Structure formats: C-alpha cells, structure tokens
Amino acid sequence: MPPFEVVTPAPRAAWHALLAEDPTSLITQTPEWLDCITAISPYHDTSRLYRFDDGRQVLLPMVGRLPGPVSIEASWPFDWGIGGPVVDGTIGARHTEAIYADLVAQHALRLTFRPGPFADPAWRAVPSPFRATEHTTQIVDLDGGFAQAWSHRFSGNVRRAVRKAERADLEVEVAQGNRLIDVFHDLYLHSIRRWARQRHEPHVLALLRAHHANPRRKFHAVARRLGERCAVWVATTAGEPAAAIIVLRHGRHAKYWRGAMNVELANPARANDLLHRLAIEDACAAGCRYYHMGDSRPASGLARFKAGFGARAYRTDAYRYERLPFTELETRLRSTVKRCLRFRDR
C-alpha cells in the first residue's frame, strides 16, 4: 500500500477542487449535501481527504452520528443517496485497499459506504469484513442533446404520453430554491397515504415513518442550501397540483431526487411523463450529460417507467462493515440494560 496522510474533516477548498477534477461527481458528493444532512440529523462532518505519496488524492464524503448507543460512520446515512469517493484521476487497487484498511481501523461500530455509478471498479474489491448489498440505479445518457433523447431513447409509449399531456389541461411551473417545496410536500403526503392504502397500513403509522425519513424541513434544507441547483417542477390541472418532481444539478449530472403525485389527477393527464420530459430537456440545455432517475428494483413497474425514457441500469452496490455482528451487539446491549435495571431495583 502506498503511504498516505489523512485530513479530517476534509478542507472545503480541497473538496471543491477535487469535485472540479472529477467529471463523475454527483450533487450528493458535495459539501453542500453534507451540510443538508448535518442541518437536520444528529450527524457531524467526518469527511476524509486521503493524500497519497504518489500524488493521488481521494476525498471520501462521510458523516458520523453524534454520541449514542451505536457509533456510526456513513457515506451516506439511509435515504440520503450515494456518497462515495471523489477522485482526481485514475486510482488502483493499492489506493482502495489502503482506504478500506484505514476505515476498518477507525472506531465506528458500523460503517456504510456506497460508490457512485461511474466509480472505478477497484472500489468493488472490498475486504472480507465488508458485506455488499446490491443496488441498481437507472440513468439516461443525454449524449447528442434532447433531440437525440426524444427520437432515439424515449420509447414510443413515452412520446405518446407526453403528447397527450401537452394536449391536456395542464400548467407547468418550475422554481429554483424553496418557493414550491411546500406544494411538493403536500403531494408527497398525499402519496404516502395512497401507498399506505395499497399496503393496508394505518395512515398514521405511514405518516410517522415518512416524517422520520423525509420531514418537510429536509426538503427545505436541500432547497435552501443548493439554491439554483435545486429545481421543483409542478404540474397543475384546474388549479390543483397533480404531480411534482425535484431535480438537482451538479456539473454534467442532473438528478431526479424525489417525486410525488395525486394519482387521480396525474395519471389521466400523464403529468409525470411531461415533467420528466421537460426536466430532461432542461438538463440538456444546461449541458448535462446524464439524467439520474434513482434506484429501482429490476423488472418493477417503476423500473419500466424509467426505462421508457431510455434509462439504463447501473450497479451501485452499498458496503457495510460492522465491528460486531448485529446479533452479538444486540445481545450486549440487552445485557447492559438488564444489569442497569437490576442495579436500579436494589
């Protein structure tokens, strides 16, 4: 392994310099995204900048959970998307082996790590303490611009759906920043209730879980910190919001981050097809090469919907390291609680 030094938290100037050198970097690998996480969650900045003697630099976006029952380091926590390394060029197995060894040497009881869809394959050679969880994310290649995407990547069904939406009584508004976040969030809660009905789950339980994972302040934090890099698209019919999507942008990458709809209004008018068509055209006009449509289960209805826009599947496995197996950790925690209770009852 080549010698290296680690700087943590990573200096912001160095972070931005590496982002400028890495054309594969995503909005979710920026320091502003880390700021969104720490603004609403019990995490703090533990990003690590690796400087190797051969001149290579690797920055690993990472947060650590504040003191609690389990020490966690994550890149990123659940529901915050892909973190993973930012690199100023090609790396080799000797670099990734050194970084994995350094991460294992830290004191976290649990560590998660997920490289992006265009990360060097060397990152997949994880050592045995890590366990892999398979993920598939779908991405539209925008090479050739919107005309190419429309004619050669969009399916005939999607083109027909978009034309139907253009004939429908739909009005589309787009705003950067916070202005339409509350409209989106109201539709998001509407979607949560619909999913709860489909799963025969109590609405209250579904809403509580959604509030924990995606509270309103999370969307506001992202929109406020990303500013013009965050666009909210809303389609309305007869003055009633039918569908909305949030699209984030960094460098050559536009990312469809969240979507929500009133299915009774959106589906007949094909509002979602229209919003993605407009967002993809906007991404092309901004010089983006890729439109990321997020994770999907292979062969699911959602995967087929995204494939209609020409989205291809990319492997983006997540890796987890646990210093203690969860069952052993759980046993130790229960034993500690029992001893505390016995001491209390004396």
Side-chain angles (χ1 to χ4, degrees):
M1 297 182 188
F4 63 90
E5 66 169 345
V6 181
V7 182
T8 182
R12 292 298 173 94
W15 193 333
H16 283 293
L18 281 175
L19 287 169
E21 293 292 326
D22 189 347
T24 72
S25 61
L26 311 175
I27 189 74
T28 54
Q29 294 171 288
T30 64
E32 292 79 16
W33 193 254
L34 183 148
D35 291 340
C36 294
I37 298 173
T38 58
I40 72 158
S41 305
Y43 287 91
H44 63 287
D45 182 0
T46 59
S47 56
R48 303 178 72 79
L49 174 63
Y50 293 87
R51 291 173 172 155
F52 290 90
D53 279 7
D54 61 5
R56 182 63 64 236
Q57 295 190 85
V58 179
L59 190 144
L60 185 58
M62 185 167 284
V63 291
R65 197 169 75 175
L66 296 174
V70 179
S71 174
I72 294 177
E73 300 278 339
S75 183
W76 294 119
F78 176 73
D79 213 41
W80 280 99
I82 291 171
V86 181
V87 185
D88 64 347
T90 304
I91 60 169
R94 63 190 188 281
H95 300 101
T96 60
E97 289 172 2
I99 291 172
Y100 281 129
D102 175 69
L103 292 176
V104 170
Q106 304 310 306
H107 298 297
L109 294 180
R110 182 179 299 164
L111 185 146
T112 57
F113 174 76
R114 186 180 178 189
F118 303 116
D120 193 294
W123 292 105
R124 295 180 184 170
V126 292
S128 57
F130 286 84
R131 293 183 300 164
T133 302
E134 187 173 340
H135 290 269
T136 300
T137 189
Q138 290 176 269
I139 305 171
V140 182
D141 189 337
L142 304 180
D143 186 32
F146 180 71
Q148 184 78 3
W150 173 265
S151 300
H152 300 286
R153 296 194 178 92
F154 287 20
S155 69
N157 287 338
V158 166
R159 291 196 297 269
R160 284 189 291 273
V162 169
R163 293 188 182 106
K164 180 178 180 180
E166 291 171 340
R167 294 192 300 269
D169 182 26
L170 284 174
E171 294 184 3
V172 176
E173 184 178 10
V174 59
Q176 297 172 334
N178 275 296
R179 187 166 65 82
L180 293 176
I181 286 293
D182 287 334
V183 177
F184 168 85
H185 191 262
D186 290 344
L187 280 171
Y188 171 70
L189 294 181
H190 190 282
S191 296
I192 293 297
R193 296 185 184 97
R194 184 180 81 253
W195 297 331
R197 289 195 299 271
Q198 293 171 350
R199 294 191 296 259
H200 306 290
E201 179 183 23
H203 287 185
V204 173
L205 180 60
L207 290 171
L208 284 174
R209 189 171 58 249
H211 177 72
H212 176 72
N214 294 297
R216 186 187 300 264
R217 61 194 179 96
K218 175 178 181 176
F219 299 110
H220 275 289
V222 168
R224 182 170 60 254
R225 282 170 170 76
L226 298 186
E228 63 182 13
R229 292 180 289 173
C230 172
V232 184
W233 298 77
V234 177
T236 61
T237 178
E240 187 73 17
I245 62 174
I246 300 178
V247 179
L248 313 176
R249 188 183 298 161
H250 168 75
R252 305 197 304 168
H253 304 268
K255 175 180 175 58
Y256 160 53
W257 182 47
R258 290 288 188 274
M261 66 174 169
N262 180 331
V263 68
E264 291 81 9
L265 298 177
N267 277 0
R270 306 306 296 264
N272 283 300
D273 298 85
L274 179 61
L275 291 180
H276 283 292
R277 176 251 189 256
L278 293 172
I280 289 173
E281 183 177 26
D282 184 66
C284 290
C288 293
R289 172 65 189 272
Y290 301 100
Y291 184 75
H292 296 245
M293 299 193 78
D295 293 359
S296 309
R297 286 186 298 104
S300 65
L302 182 59
R304 290 192 295 272
F305 172 78
K306 295 173 182 178
F309 292 90
R312 293 176 51 203
Y314 290 78
R315 176 179 168 182
T316 56
D317 291 356
Y319 305 103
R320 171 178 288 195
Y321 164 75
E322 292 177 334
R323 189 169 296 275
L324 295 174
F326 182 76
T327 53
E328 183 180 347
L329 176 62
E330 185 180 34
T331 300
R332 291 191 181 190
L333 288 174
R334 287 180 176 176
S335 176
T336 300
V337 170
K338 288 180 180 178
R339 286 198 300 271
C340 291
L341 290 176
R342 286 197 299 269
F343 179 80
R344 183 199 64 180
D345 293 336
R346 287 178 180 175

